[in-house]
Amino acid sequence: MILVTGATGKVGGQVAAQLVAAGVPVRALVRNPETAVLPAGVEPVRGDLADPAALTAALTQEVTGVFLVWPLPGPGGAAEAVTALARRTGRIVYLSARGVPEAPGDGGEPAADILGTHAVLERLVREAVPAWTLLRPGGFASNTLEWAAQVRSGDTVRTAYPKAARPLVHEADIAALAVRALLTDDLLGAVPEFTGPEVLTQAEQIAVIGEVVGRPLAVERLTRAEARTGLLAAGLPPAYADGILDAHAAMETEPESPAPASAALLGRPPRTYREWVTDHLADFT
């Protein structure tokens, strides 16, 4: 039995679906089992990572591994949640991110931004269980779903950094490595870094969406202030919003390169961004 957190999201949903396809029993930790939309064959169980005491029902003795997504802004409460998970399982596969800094040498905590939060979670997982894998994918292709409403309603997509370039990764590829880490010892104690296969600017990503949808899309540049307002309105903490915008600004002059080991890790070429858009065509139409 594998416990999947974040199973109602893109990556967690793929992990759950791929585990079910492999014939593995899957339990999903959700806040509301009655309304949660999950892949067929997944058992929902009520729980919340923000309430470690409520994890007991999900963590029966039959749970042999956990796929962990940390959904909360900042690492507050993470130590308690990871400790609760580690009491009932010896294997955790944590969804981290490319570029996570190493723990500071002075014993202090990393910055309270996205990568700093991942650094704290990585340390907690390493210390909590004997069998761990820290997945470090690059930028998620699914983050470009933020443009879907604009594509559905018109022919112009607005973004602050249209020249920001990076190799976006398909959530199905992230899930494939997560499943391998959960079901085998191939990635035991590993920190695999992987990305999509091609470096595309945001303008080029939008052009691909237009080609798949079947109509050309124009790109309009937002100011940083406008983009920041939108991220804050979506619920991101200021430190997270600023970190995202800083990273995108840097990628306009220094594109993010593909991770060299991606194909070797997957045993095949990573899925392209065009494949991802095709898989998500309904979201854009």
Side-chain angles (χ1 to χ4, degrees):
M1 173 70 75
I2 301 296
L3 177 68
V4 176
T5 68
T8 58
K10 290 289 185 291
V11 178
Q14 273 285 333
V15 171
Q18 290 186 28
L19 285 167
V20 169
V24 178
V26 180
R27 179 175 294 157
L29 184 73
V30 294
R31 291 189 180 93
N32 190 338
E34 289 73 33
T35 60
V37 178
L38 298 167
V42 174
E43 172 197 349
V45 60
R46 190 181 304 277
D48 191 334
L49 288 170
D51 182 8
L55 295 176
T56 304
L59 293 167
T60 61
Q61 291 294 338
E62 64 200 43
V63 172
T64 57
V66 174
F67 177 70
L68 177 60
V69 176
W70 187 249
L72 305 175
E80 294 80 3
V82 172
T83 297
L85 294 173
R87 288 195 189 104
R88 293 298 185 92
T89 184
R91 183 184 296 257
I92 296 177
V93 175
Y94 176 62
L95 180 60
S96 188
R98 193 182 193 194
V100 170
E102 297 301 321
D106 60 4
E109 286 298 323
D113 57 13
I114 296 173
L115 294 181
T117 296
H118 282 309
V120 173
L121 266 294
E122 285 192 1
R123 174 176 57 78
L124 292 170
V125 170
R126 286 177 191 257
E127 295 173 352
V129 291
W132 51 263
T133 303
L134 309 175
L135 299 177
R136 288 185 176 178
F140 294 3
S142 59
N143 288 342
T144 62
L145 285 171
E146 67 179 346
W147 299 327
Q150 297 182 67
V151 175
R152 290 194 302 268
S153 63
D155 296 325
T156 300
V157 175
R158 305 177 76 216
T159 184
Y161 297 105
K163 294 181 181 179
R166 69 192 313 188
L168 297 177
V169 61
H170 196 306
E171 64 269 9
D173 285 345
I174 302 173
L177 288 182
V179 169
R180 182 179 170 195
L182 287 162
L183 301 185
T184 76
D185 291 340
D186 294 349
L187 298 175
L188 200 63
V191 188
E193 186 178 274
F194 54 100
T195 65
E198 56 194 347
V199 178
L200 297 175
T201 66
Q202 290 190 9
E204 289 169 336
Q205 295 160 20
I206 292 166
V208 170
I209 294 171
E211 290 167 6
V212 175
V213 169
R215 54 188 169 85
L217 298 173
V219 179
E220 181 179 315
R221 187 185 282 268
L222 287 171
T223 66
R224 181 186 175 103
E226 289 172 326
R228 188 175 190 273
T229 297
L231 292 173
L232 296 177
L236 289 181
Y240 280 33
D242 290 334
I244 290 170
L245 295 173
D246 288 345
H248 288 175
M251 289 176 202
E252 287 213 318
T253 55
E254 297 182 17
E256 184 179 87
S257 60
S262 300
L265 285 165
L266 290 165
R268 54 168 172 76
R271 292 171 170 88
T272 66
Y273 184 68
R274 184 178 296 273
E275 288 177 281
W276 178 87
V277 176
T278 300
D279 290 342
H280 292 270
L281 180 58
D283 293 305
F284 292 101
T285 55

